[in-house]
Amino acid sequence: MTPTTPDLALDFTRDIYSVARLASEVRAVLDGSFPSIWVRGEISNLALPASGHCYFSLKDEAAQVRCAMFRAKRLLLGFRPENGQQVLVRARVTLYEARGDFQLVVEHMEPGGEGALRMELERLKRRLAAEGLFAESAKRPLPAFPCQVGLITSPTGAAVHDLLTVLGRRCPALPVLIYPAQVQGTAAAASLVAALTLANQRAECDVLILARGGGSLEDLNAFNDESLARAIRASRIPVVSGVGHEVDTTIADLAADRRGATPSAAAELVAPSAEHLGQRVAALRARLGHLQGRLIEGAGLRLAAVLRQLALLHPAARLESRAQRLDELDRRLAEAMQRHLRGARARLEPRALSLAAVSPARRLGLAAASLDGLRARLHWAQSRALGRLQERLGRALTGLDARSPLATLARGYAIVTRLPDGQILRDPAQAPPGTRIEARLAQGVLHAVVDSPASVNPRRVFGRK
């Protein structure tokens, strides 16, 4: 038998712990000795693995402790933790046996200090937004030219000086009325609501400016009050906010009808400036000129269309069409006559040739006499046919001339139309006094205005009774 080394021999007189046993018993002691506790500190070494758990260290100036927040609890957070953030946690003290690390298992976490105030402010913003308190459709337009401006602010603060300076520079004649109110402290929100209510009761102003200078989140807390936001929306007078600096956005800013990034910016929104008015007049003048040009262009297009339509309906256009048709018929008649003559000559020439070939001298003389007679008859027939055609053409021209409006006008008549619609007048009742008329004569056009109504008996004009 191999002898046992003394160091490795079993010693039943000692209670020797394994590492796992020691870690387990230490964990049991820690779990049983500490209930859930609240700990404040700064987040560092933040890790957010894909598992959804959250691991970080919580530290202060003197110490740090590892923390773990498992996925089920992390899903209940109303914010995203970040390194360097001050938080307040409720946790269980325990031991992570696998590494022997003392740690906190976090069950609840919330921002600490100003972070908590911001979280509460964000929750209030979301709730009021869900109610429609910040809806753009509910906001009232500001008057373009207010008769009097009301300032709801501290009468001793820097904001009122900035407001009065900007209002005096932009519109020196604009009256300003100050409604004093506290802008900081526990009673500030109630003071602002009271001043806003008083301004509405007195109804002395066209627009109100709610303003104060910059400060911390706690300094601006009165302007994040729910009652003030509801009072702004209930106001019958438009409200412009000018709270803090450009980066500060309060609930009062969201509820107001317009927001100025600073008190001076709010004053610029309310007071019209001479430069702005000049620019507006120039813009309106340019817009008027543009619209006037469009109207003139449209009227010109309509006039051109009417003139084209009038040209198509004018009697002269119809006469030109008839004259063109007459020229076409004359050309066709001449062509038909030429074809007829060519056909007659074509038929005559073979017969003359055959006769010359078989005729003796006697028959030649008779044939010559017969040919002369046929030629005379042919010319007579041709002349007669041409005479009939010319007679028909003359009758057609005479009838066309008798029906022509121009021939009627040449006999001393006139075509009278009413302006501007161009309606032909057949009755004096169609042209009451003051009507503009146009009389078209054979050699021109007369324009006149009816001076008095006329009553003419057509039968007396033509010598009948």
Side-chain angles (χ1 to χ4, degrees), residues 20-350:
R21 177 187 171 190
L22 175 62
S24 177
E25 291 191 9
V26 170
R27 176 180 179 180
V29 171
L30 291 174
D31 289 348
S33 301
F34 290 92
S36 292
I37 59 175
W38 288 92
V39 181
R40 185 191 305 275
E42 178 185 329
I43 294 177
S44 64
N45 303 319
L46 178 65
L48 301 172
S51 63
H53 306 319
C54 178
Y55 303 101
F56 58 94
S57 295
L58 201 61
K59 67 177 183 178
D60 58 16
E61 296 82 357
Q64 66 177 356
V65 61
R66 291 183 179 274
C67 301
M69 188 174 194
F70 297 110
R71 183 174 182 273
K73 300 297 184 181
R74 182 190 167 194
L75 293 176
L76 300 177
L77 286 179
F79 68 101
R80 180 183 178 87
E82 297 178 355
N83 283 320
Q85 185 178 13
Q86 289 287 333
V87 293
L88 183 65
V89 302
R90 188 181 70 245
R92 293 184 291 106
V93 179
T94 186
L95 183 76
Y96 180 43
E97 299 179 24
R99 287 203 304 263
D101 287 342
F102 162 68
Q103 70 174 10
L104 300 178
V105 176
V106 179
E107 297 176 345
H108 174 74
M109 183 191 305
E110 62 185 47
E114 185 175 301
L117 184 58
R118 290 191 182 277
M119 287 295 298
E120 180 61 29
L121 178 60
E122 291 301 322
R123 281 194 291 269
L124 179 58
K125 285 181 180 179
R126 288 194 294 271
R127 179 163 61 83
L128 295 181
E131 294 181 18
L133 207 67
F134 306 149
E136 289 295 329
S137 58
K139 296 184 182 297
R140 294 158 296 228
L142 302 184
F145 302 99
C147 296
Q148 184 162 265
V149 177
L151 306 182
I152 300 178
T153 186
S154 171
T156 59
V160 70
H161 178 266
D162 293 341
L163 289 168
L164 294 175
T165 300
V166 173
L167 292 173
R169 171 174 52 83
R170 290 177 62 87
C171 190
L174 180 62
V176 178
L177 186 60
I178 299 176
Y179 296 92
Q182 297 182 34
V183 294
Q184 185 173 337
T186 56
S191 177
L192 292 169
V193 171
L196 187 59
T197 303
L198 178 62
N200 276 269
Q201 289 175 350
R202 295 173 62 172
E204 299 167 312
C205 302
D206 301 314
V207 62
L208 300 174
I209 299 178
L210 183 68
R212 70 147 285 162
S216 65
L217 183 61
E218 289 81 1
D219 294 336
L220 303 178
N221 195 41
F223 294 87
N224 290 316
D225 188 80
E226 179 179 354
S227 61
L228 178 59
R230 296 189 183 279
I232 291 173
R233 294 313 318 145
S235 172
R236 296 187 303 273
I237 305 173
V239 178
V240 177
S241 66
V243 180
H245 302 298
E246 187 171 357
V247 296
D248 299 322
T249 302
T250 65
I251 289 180
D253 292 323
L254 299 175
D257 298 294
R258 291 289 297 276
R259 174 188 179 251
T262 61
S264 298
E268 291 181 354
L269 289 174
V270 169
S273 67
E275 181 181 1
H276 171 74
L277 293 178
Q279 293 174 354
R280 184 176 179 186
V281 169
L284 290 175
R285 183 183 293 110
R287 183 180 177 188
L288 179 61
H290 176 68
L291 292 177
Q292 185 178 11
R294 290 182 58 184
L295 288 175
I296 294 175
E297 181 181 0
L301 293 175
R302 290 193 297 273
L303 177 60
V306 170
L307 290 176
R308 287 194 299 269
Q309 185 178 8
L310 182 61
L312 294 176
L313 298 176
H314 198 277
R318 301 177 67 181
L319 289 176
E320 290 175 358
S321 176
R322 295 294 189 273
Q324 184 177 359
R325 177 63 175 167
L326 182 61
D327 291 340
E328 177 68 17
L329 292 175
D330 184 60
R331 182 185 60 80
R332 290 173 61 185
L333 176 61
E335 291 177 353
M337 292 175 61
Q338 292 297 327
R339 286 195 301 270
H340 178 72
L341 291 175
R342 285 194 298 269
R345 291 192 185 97
R347 290 191 301 273
L348 180 61
E349 287 176 357

Side-chain angles (χ1 to χ4, degrees), residues 4-12 16:
T4 304
T5 305
D7 293 339
L8 298 178
L10 295 177
D11 189 350
F12 295 101
I16 300 175

